[in-house]
Amino acid sequence: MSEPIPHLDEIPTRLARLHETVLAATQRAGRAEGAVVVELAVKYQGADRIAAALGAGGFLLGHNLIQQLEAAELALRATGAPTHRTHVIGHVQKNKAAKALAFAQCIETLDSLPLAERLNRLHGERDASEPFDVMLQVNSSGAESQYGLDPAEVVDFAGAVNELPHLRIIGLMTIGAHTDHVTEIARSFTTTRELRDSLLASGIASATQLSMGMTHDLDIAIAEGSTIIRVGTAVFGPRP
Ligand SMILES: *Cc1c(COP(=O)(O)O)cnc(C)c1O
């Protein structure tokens, strides 16, 4: 009983509907309008569908695979797509670090010091005026299948990354517990929010963002303080 893949022309309406859902959830949570940004999770979407979402008011893109990131960014540039910002939301292998830096503006999934050190060195060599933005991925549900840092190691790891001059920690990213139990999902988001607050309290003032919530659990994430929800299915339909 899978839903058919929506036509390109339906993407603007679906994005508008998502924005209404997000606004309603933000208000229910008693949070300020605009406190939550939609990041379009675009894995396996063609550049035409991504461009349709950008043309309909999308701005932030999230890519899982570096190969798709590169291909999509090159296609969007070639067709003059609207200005946008792109994050990496999938695991980054060390040998893909340079490509990730070249085609994205933030890696949300940093969870190892060797990768952090490589990104720091490579970005330093680029002579950029600003440090490269990273978020630390937290394995907040404890699932063995998930990448990310154990919650107990996040503060120390952040301290080590914060010493690297060419990286800037802008927050934490997590994938909610893979279950239908709302309280369990909420707990993984609360854990992540509390860790973000610990980073701020430890003096990492740039670590304000919380990337959490997807199509099925964005309401819970917004109630728990998410500032970035990563949404694919609600906008693009089932993945091809
Ligand atoms: C695919 C993906 C999403 C979006 O999931 P949907 O259920 O399609 O909204 C969010 N985050 C990550 C890391 C993903 O891989």
Side-chain angles (χ1 to χ4, degrees), residues 208-233:
T208 55
Q209 302 296 312
L210 276 175
S211 173
M212 51 191 206
M214 312 177 18
T215 295
H216 69 282
D217 59 11
L218 63 89
D219 277 319
I220 308 169
I222 290 170
E224 296 299 328
S226 172
T227 64
I228 301 173
I229 53 166
R230 307 177 306 269
V231 181
T233 309

Side-chain angles (χ1 to χ4, degrees), residues 8-81:
L8 184 76
D9 296 344
E10 297 172 51
I11 289 175
T13 318
R14 293 175 70 103
L15 182 58
R17 226 186 292 141
L18 172 67
H19 282 143
E20 285 169 23
T21 304
V22 171
L23 180 60
T26 306
Q27 287 169 340
R28 268 199 307 282
R31 302 180 57 200
E33 196 178 320
V36 183
V37 169
V38 171
E39 176 173 12
L40 296 160
V42 296
K43 54 180 174 283
Y44 302 110
Q45 301 300 329
D48 55 340
R49 294 171 74 80
I50 300 173
L54 292 174
F59 176 72
L60 179 59
L61 305 180
H63 272 281
N64 289 70
L65 300 169
I66 303 302
Q67 211 175 331
Q68 291 182 4
L69 162 73
E70 177 181 19
E73 286 301 310
L74 290 174
L76 291 172
R77 284 176 203 176
T79 55

Side-chain angles (χ1 to χ4, degrees), residues 54-178:
L54 292 174
F59 176 72
L60 179 59
L61 305 180
H63 272 281
N64 289 70
L65 300 169
I66 303 302
Q67 211 175 331
Q68 291 182 4
L69 162 73
E70 177 181 19
E73 286 301 310
L74 290 174
L76 291 172
R77 284 176 203 176
T79 55
T83 315
H84 57 279
R85 176 177 164 95
T86 306
H87 290 188
V88 174
I89 60 174
H91 183 69
V92 180
Q93 290 174 303
K94 266 173 66 190
N95 63 358
K96 298 281 168 58
K99 279 261 162 80
L101 289 174
F103 290 102
Q105 288 76 52
C106 173
I107 293 172
E108 296 194 10
T109 50
L110 188 59
D111 66 357
S112 91
L113 209 49
L115 177 63
E117 284 166 348
R118 177 174 291 215
L119 291 169
N120 180 64
R121 178 174 56 77
L122 291 172
H123 191 63
E125 288 168 5
R126 298 167 82 203
D127 245 351
S129 57
E130 292 282 319
F132 189 79
D133 288 344
V134 293
M135 302 176 77
L136 314 183
Q137 183 173 358
V138 183
N139 182 355
S140 58
S141 68
E144 274 181 30
S145 58
Q146 293 289 355
Y147 286 108
L149 300 155
D150 184 306
E153 57 184 4
V154 170
V155 172
D156 284 350
F157 181 80
V161 172
N162 200 42
E163 299 289 311
L164 302 173
H166 305 297
L167 300 184
R168 170 171 51 213
I169 303 172
I170 63 165
L172 298 178
M173 176 271 202
T174 200
I175 296 170
H178 189 67

